[in-house]
Amino acid sequence: MTAAATLLHFDDETAAAHRLADAAGLRPACIERHRFPDGEVRLRLPPVLAEPVVLLRTLDQPDPKLVELLLAARTARALGAPHLTLVAPYLAYMRQDIAFNPGEAVSQRIVGGFLTSLFDAVITVDPHLHRVATLHEAVPARQALAVSAAPLLADLIAERRPGALLVGPDAESAQWVAQAAARHAFDHAVCTKVRRGDHDVSIELPPVGVARRAVVILDDVASTGHTVAGAARLLLAAGAASVDVAVTHALFAGDALALMKGAGVSHIWSTDCIAHATNAVPVAPLLARALGDLQAGRNT
């Protein structure tokens, strides 16, 4: 990425922004933000933006952040930014890609269209796409790039649990488990999950021997922790020597961490796509390479 490019960020992501700026050769600039008593927000961007602009915003707790993106992107355009790239290490609202009941909002399509109206390019890490094959289908921006942290998690697992068995908690995790397993020739398998509600899931272990083995449950995201906890209990009951967890996105809502620990999980490792105490894998180099790929594509 050209050294002239500006990396806009908010004050709550300053550390992540500086890691990305160092890795990608960008100039970081913090967006000033003031929250009024009535909940509205006032933003102030740097005054000179007649150059490509990258805006970093991970979209956990997304609703207020989406308004901030609207204000920041439109202001950057008004200040002369010729090209806007959103780097959203976690991209929210990707789960619901169809209306399951009459009248439901298809959030993936709506939010994807919203981001496309604001940005020329969107980069994210391990988006939770189910019935959609590519990020561009969900976010039809001029350039849309999804990169995976699964190989980075695999490197960590190889260092801390060499020879581990990788287990995906459900069918949707299969793609990430397969990528991670291929990196270091790990044995791997995927559980079967039946979800009846946000907190009501049942798990069936795959037909693979786990006795006396170190097992790592790997997935793109952990939210309530119920699926991971259910899988961990079954694995330990089947004789696993240990069960650890590696995830790209550490959402960990409510008592998720306590729930997983209570189920017997030893260690929980996550990337820093979402800032959390479990962060063990930095993604700035991965995002910097993605920015370079987009830049090369834009110049060809």
Side-chain angles (χ1 to χ4, degrees), residues 279-298:
N279 290 168
V281 175
V283 294
L286 180 67
L287 294 172
R289 287 194 297 273
L291 284 166
D293 289 345
L294 285 194
Q295 177 76 4
R298 199 160 69 238

Side-chain angles (χ1 to χ4, degrees), residues 9-18 33 56-60 65 87 89 273:
H9 65 91
F10 291 86
D11 56 358
D12 58 331
E13 291 187 272
T14 296
H18 282 264
R33 179 174 48 168
L56 174 67
R57 198 63 169 143
T58 202
L59 292 175
D60 60 316
K65 294 181 180 181
V87 175
C273 286

Side-chain angles (χ1 to χ4, degrees), residues 192-205:
T192 301
K193 178 175 75 173
V194 177
R195 180 181 292 278
R196 302 178 187 85
D198 290 342
H199 303 285
D200 185 8
V201 295
S202 61
I203 302 292
E204 182 178 327
L205 290 182

Side-chain angles (χ1 to χ4, degrees), residues 24 49 55 99 121 145 257:
L49 291 171
L55 199 163
L145 180 58
L257 277 181

